[in-house]
Amino acid sequence: MTTIRSCSPADISKLNLCNLDPLTENYARKFYFAYLAKWPTMFIVAENQKAQIVAYGKFHPRVEEDPDYLKILGDKYLPWHGHVTALTVAPQYRQMGLAKQLTAQLDRACEQENAWFMDLFVRVSNKTAINMYKKMGYTVYRRVVGYYSDDPTGKGTSEDAFDMRKSLPRDKHKRYMREDGENHRISPEDLYHG
């Protein structure tokens, strides 16, 4: 049995089961503590019966958007949306629906805020995660060339990311989705404008 709950400061030292995975984005402890202090309700964990943290998700607590004056950028304009900062599940706890349960909380929060979509970034080599996100309704919006500067494979190169999006009820016409996202390439510098 696994319990999903808000993260506590004591949990930060118990993230190893999740963070030892080479595809998991790792941060310094001070980042986790700062995130928890600023957005305590948006840092959630899944805890097993042995009090081990087996999954966690960090989400932006409010939706983001570019300033109105940037609407002249057309398809580069970033409208009101929610963002998954980190989502990871310990390898031995995968295929149990924990990632889906964690993201469901963000779905509900973003729908209440009338967001257009949710987004996240994932390594193009992480086929398991990409397939999982696709099953949850995400599609590839664009490929960000060289987004990850570290290299978990040890080859010494950067890695591309897929910017994946999930349309929410406000976007009835899928205005902020794209069918050929794998072929739409941008640089990391082109991601943010505001």
Side-chain angles (χ1 to χ4, degrees):
M1 181 73 179
T2 304
T3 303
I4 295 179
R5 60 173 177 75
S6 292
C7 184
S8 72
D11 294 329
I12 302 297
S13 64
K14 299 192 294 182
L15 300 178
N16 284 349
L17 281 178
C18 302
N19 285 350
L20 291 176
D21 178 15
L23 293 174
T24 295
E25 195 77 19
N26 283 287
Y27 304 95
R29 280 180 167 227
K30 66 181 179 180
F31 174 81
Y32 292 102
F33 282 116
Y35 202 99
L36 182 60
K38 191 169 185 180
W39 302 302
T41 61
M42 298 307 290
F43 191 163
I44 53 179
V45 297
E47 181 180 54
N48 69 10
Q49 292 174 330
K50 296 178 182 178
Q52 296 171 310
I53 303 303
V54 297
Y56 69 86
K58 298 183 307 191
F59 311 109
H60 277 282
R62 62 192 188 296
V63 285
E64 308 171 311
E65 98 182 293
D66 278 341
D68 283 341
Y69 68 85
L70 289 176
K71 287 183 180 179
I72 62 169
L73 296 172
D75 69 342
K76 291 185 179 181
Y77 173 75
L78 193 60
W80 194 249
H81 73 287
H83 179 70
V84 178
T85 306
L87 178 66
T88 187
V89 179
Q92 61 271 39
Y93 284 86
R94 293 180 182 157
Q95 304 294 320
M96 298 173 67
L98 292 174
K100 189 173 184 177
Q101 290 176 48
L102 293 171
T103 57
Q105 290 191 12
L106 179 62
D107 284 353
R108 287 188 297 274
C110 288
E111 286 178 27
Q112 289 173 353
E113 292 292 329
N114 203 25
W116 288 91
F117 62 87
M118 294 178 5
D119 77 345
L120 56 86
F121 295 92
V122 62
R123 293 176 184 275
V124 296
S125 64
N126 194 346
K127 304 295 184 202
T128 302
I130 292 166
N131 289 331
M132 176 194 72
Y133 291 127
K134 285 181 176 181
K135 287 178 186 174
M136 293 189 315
Y138 285 85
T139 60
V140 175
Y141 182 71
R142 56 192 170 183
R143 183 179 186 133
V144 185
V145 178
Y147 181 80
Y148 293 102
S149 59
D150 64 331
D151 179 22
T153 65
K155 295 177 185 170
T157 59
S158 62
E159 184 175 357
D160 296 354
F162 283 141
D163 176 359
M164 298 187 76
R165 294 183 177 182
K166 178 181 179 180
S167 189
L168 294 175
R170 181 177 183 184
D171 191 12
K172 294 179 181 116
H173 303 291
K174 309 286 186 214
R175 181 175 169 191
Y176 296 104
M177 301 297 120
R178 182 181 284 136
E179 289 189 28
D180 65 340
E182 289 90 349
N183 301 319
H184 187 81
R185 294 171 181 254
I186 66 165
S187 69
E189 294 80 22
D190 292 331
L191 278 174
Y192 305 107
H193 315 285

